[in-house]
Amino acid sequence: MALNAQQIAWLGIYNDLPMTVTTFFLRRIARGKIPYVVNTKSIDYEEVKKHAIKAKILKRGEKFPTSRLNGSVIKGVTPEVIKDSIPFTPYDALNRLPGQEVYINGKKVDHKKYEEDKRIASLKVSVPVVQEEIAAGVFLEGKYVSPDTGNEVTYTAYPSESVAVTDIKEWGIWTTTKINEFITENKVRVDEILVGKDVFYKILTDYNKSSDKVITATPKRVQTQDGDYELHLDVFGFNYVMIPDTTDTQGNAIDTANWFQLRNDAAVIPAFAGVVNVVNGQSTLEAADLIIRETPADPETGEAKTLAESAYCPIVVNPNIVKTYKVTGL
């Protein structure tokens, strides 16, 4: 059973709506990759490994990272479904009969479609917020805690080491050295340099203090394709991107203030398990990153719901192509 025409239309509306929440980590995990999507409740890591090898993310013979659930090694993951619903009743119709128009911003719209679009717009906020929290945990720490069950999924840790700020005599030379080491060790390029806010401003301050700098550097506020904003610093021929303040799925702050992180985009892939679809009373698991559907009206109250569901679970397929330096003494 596939999505019906109405569900496809709802997804079209959802995707056309502007993103109004921060998606710093979501878009980085998705960047340049085809998502891994299955129509089963669990994602089998052996199948993900085959996918990663075919996509040249993982070289043949390289070990797929270990994953643990609450301390025990697991061979797959069953992500909890991110779900939200917006209830509605026949009274949510702006007091219009079916087919009668409503004028919004001077444009004529059908009242039923207007109400549907409002519900879908609300879902476009609530679902990405949870997805971004999951993405942040996996992207930064290689782990996330299910907001529903409290289960913690942990992947093999990214390589990390501490470095004293006094050992960094000049940021341009030090960055060049670390990038060269990264490329030599991993045989892949550095796609991005991400830095915590303390490191970001330390680089900026040190650059502007240098006596040979005629023009002072200033951070740039860069707008992304989905309308979000990021803070970038272009100095020494490198682009340093500030890691924003963020929280995990439990609301705990992830402290990245003293991080200097080199990343290749292929380290983490977006993955989605199947989500339940119900059409004409028949339920199936669909291979989709998101499903929107409506429940039948309750016979007593007349209340129905518009639901959005996604079994999002990004997977660390190659932790070695991320390297974090934690700069002490800032």
Side-chain angles (χ1 to χ4, degrees):
M1 186 185 302
L3 304 185
N4 61 31
Q6 181 62 76
Q7 289 178 307
I8 293 170
W10 287 331
L11 286 173
I13 294 167
Y14 183 96
N15 290 325
D16 284 344
L17 287 167
M19 185 67 75
T20 58
V21 300
T22 297
T23 57
F24 185 92
F25 303 102
L26 266 175
R27 63 175 170 267
R28 279 169 169 75
I29 290 175
R31 185 165 57 197
K33 282 159 279 189
I34 297 171
Y36 183 80
V37 186
V38 294
N39 64 341
T40 55
K41 287 185 177 181
S42 297
I43 299 172
D44 185 337
Y45 288 148
E46 279 303 311
E47 294 303 314
V48 176
K49 180 179 178 181
K50 292 175 187 176
H51 168 81
I53 290 173
K54 284 181 182 177
K56 310 298 183 186
I57 296 169
L58 203 62
K59 296 183 179 69
R60 292 188 184 278
E62 277 192 321
K63 204 172 186 181
F64 190 79
T66 302
S67 178
R68 295 176 178 272
L69 176 62
N70 297 335
S72 300
V73 176
I74 55 176
K75 295 183 178 179
V77 64
T78 304
E80 283 73 29
V81 177
I82 301 165
K83 183 185 299 185
D84 195 19
S85 62
I86 309 296
F88 65 96
T89 70
Y91 303 107
D92 299 330
L94 297 179
N95 297 317
R96 296 292 194 275
L97 296 173
Q100 286 187 315
E101 294 86 9
V102 176
Y103 286 85
I104 306 294
N105 294 329
K107 294 183 179 180
K108 184 172 68 175
V109 297
D110 180 86
H111 82 280
K112 185 173 184 296
K113 185 176 186 310
Y114 173 73
E115 294 296 338
E116 284 181 353
D117 290 359
K118 277 203 309 181
R119 294 195 294 273
I120 292 171
S122 295
L123 296 170
K124 183 72 180 260
V125 174
S126 57
V127 172
V129 164
V130 179
Q131 289 179 327
E132 175 72 353
E133 289 173 341
I134 291 172
V138 175
F139 187 89
L140 293 172
E141 300 182 306
K143 66 180 182 180
Y144 82 94
V145 177
S146 164
D148 291 334
T149 65
N151 288 335
E152 181 176 281
V153 176
T154 306
Y155 299 103
T156 299
Y158 302 121
S160 174
E161 66 180 73
S162 294
V163 57
V165 71
T166 51
D167 291 338
I168 302 172
K169 305 304 180 187
E170 208 270 349
W171 284 101
I173 295 172
W174 188 80
T175 301
T176 301
T177 300
K178 294 308 175 185
I179 287 176
N180 288 340
E181 289 175 0
F182 183 97
I183 294 171
T184 301
E185 291 172 10
N186 300 301
K187 305 298 186 286
V188 296
R189 70 189 182 203
V190 172
D191 286 318
E192 195 165 36
I193 306 171
L194 297 178
V195 296
K197 58 187 177 184
D198 289 353
V199 174
F200 187 90
Y201 287 112
K202 178 64 173 170
I203 295 171
L204 174 64
T205 302
D206 286 358
Y207 180 88
N208 286 335
K209 278 182 180 177
S210 299
S211 58
D212 59 340
K213 303 298 182 294
V214 177
I215 301 174
T216 59
T218 56
K220 292 190 301 182
R221 193 165 176 256
V222 177
Q223 187 170 26
T224 62
Q225 287 184 334
D226 60 4
D228 201 359
Y229 284 93
E230 300 175 351
L231 212 54
H232 291 227
L233 179 63
D234 289 318
V235 290
F236 308 117
F238 299 111
N239 181 35
Y240 302 91
V241 182
M242 183 192 286
I243 304 169
D245 290 340
T246 190
T247 57
D248 60 21
T249 54
Q250 297 177 298
N252 300 316
I254 301 175
D255 185 7
T256 60
N258 69 336
W259 285 24
F260 180 101
Q261 190 177 77
L262 305 177
R263 298 191 70 100
N264 180 279
D265 283 343
V268 186
I269 64 169
F272 298 86
V275 281
V276 173
N277 190 25
V278 181
V279 177
N280 298 325
Q282 299 293 316
S283 62
T284 56
L285 272 175
E286 298 284 358
D289 60 346
L290 179 78
I291 276 183
I292 298 175
R293 59 187 175 92
E294 283 188 355
T295 64
D298 182 275
E300 289 188 14
T301 65
E303 183 178 280
K305 293 179 181 178
T306 301
L307 299 108
E309 299 178 66
S310 175
Y312 178 60
C313 180
I315 296 174
V316 178
V317 293
N318 193 346
N320 295 318
I321 52 178
V322 175
K323 182 62 180 282
T324 304
Y325 296 92
K326 296 183 180 180
V327 183
T328 61
L330 289 169

